[in-house]
Amino acid sequence: WGTFLLLIPLAIASAEVWLGWSANWWRTVWQLPLAIGLFVFGGSVGLISGWVMTHQGEGTPLPSVGTRKLVVAGPYRHIRNPMALGGILQGIAVGIGLGSPLVVVYAVLGVIWWEVLVRGLEEGYLAKQFGEPFERFRAQVPCWRFRLKAYRDS
């Protein structure tokens, strides 16, 4: 969190100031409450997802370490990548809080990074590890938006 949600955003915001861009171009009364609310929501989604991943999946929330069981509980009943979404929402919140459009763009680029570099590897591993149950889950649960009706594996 320190690197991706503090150091990199501060460097980007500093670059905006160095370029002479106004740091106050979108300052509003709702900016800080919105940033805090979005940050807390994104962090909560990430932490709850990590807890479910650890306890239901018998693994760790780290993308580099797979679980022993397919996790289709908690936030995963509504979205396939709740931890990634939570982190991206937190990045957007930091950008809003700093008043930095480039930090918001940086956070949104996280979706592209995830799609291009991570998703294929992760879903390939899950398909190989869990087979048909994962394929059913992938077919029914969206990757980047919430499914209103909770997924139930039949």
Side-chain angles (χ1 to χ4, degrees):
W1 282 354
T3 299
F4 293 105
L5 296 176
L6 179 65
L7 296 178
I8 294 173
L10 286 176
I12 292 170
S14 295
E16 288 175 332
V17 170
W18 182 79
L19 290 168
W21 296 357
S22 172
N24 296 319
W25 74 273
W26 68 354
R27 297 275 181 215
T28 67
V29 126
W30 53 264
Q31 180 178 353
L32 191 57
L34 175 63
I36 291 169
L38 191 58
F39 191 88
V40 168
F41 175 73
S44 297
V45 168
L47 290 172
I48 291 167
S49 301
W51 187 88
V52 170
M53 179 72 66
T54 301
H55 290 83
Q56 298 286 323
E58 297 180 1
T60 74
L62 300 174
S64 59
V65 181
T67 62
R68 289 187 218 138
K69 293 182 179 178
L70 178 63
V71 178
V72 295
Y76 295 92
R77 294 177 301 161
H78 300 278
I79 188 167
R80 280 203 319 265
N81 280 316
M83 284 193 286
L85 179 65
I88 289 162
L89 291 175
Q90 285 184 296
I92 292 169
V94 170
I96 291 169
L98 292 173
S100 170
L102 286 184
V103 172
V104 172
V105 169
Y106 153 74
V108 172
L109 288 174
V111 174
I112 296 168
W113 175 80
W114 191 267
E115 282 292 314
V116 172
L117 299 175
V118 177
R119 183 175 171 193
L121 295 172
E122 181 182 66
E123 290 188 354
Y125 165 80
L126 293 170
K128 183 178 177 184
Q129 184 77 9
F130 301 112
E132 183 57 33
F134 172 71
E135 294 300 341
R136 284 193 308 271
F137 173 71
R138 177 168 44 184
Q140 294 183 40
V141 178
C143 186
W144 292 110
R145 61 180 175 77
F146 275 81
R147 170 190 161 119
L148 295 178
K149 184 177 178 186
Y151 172 78
R152 302 266 187 242
D153 192 21
S154 32

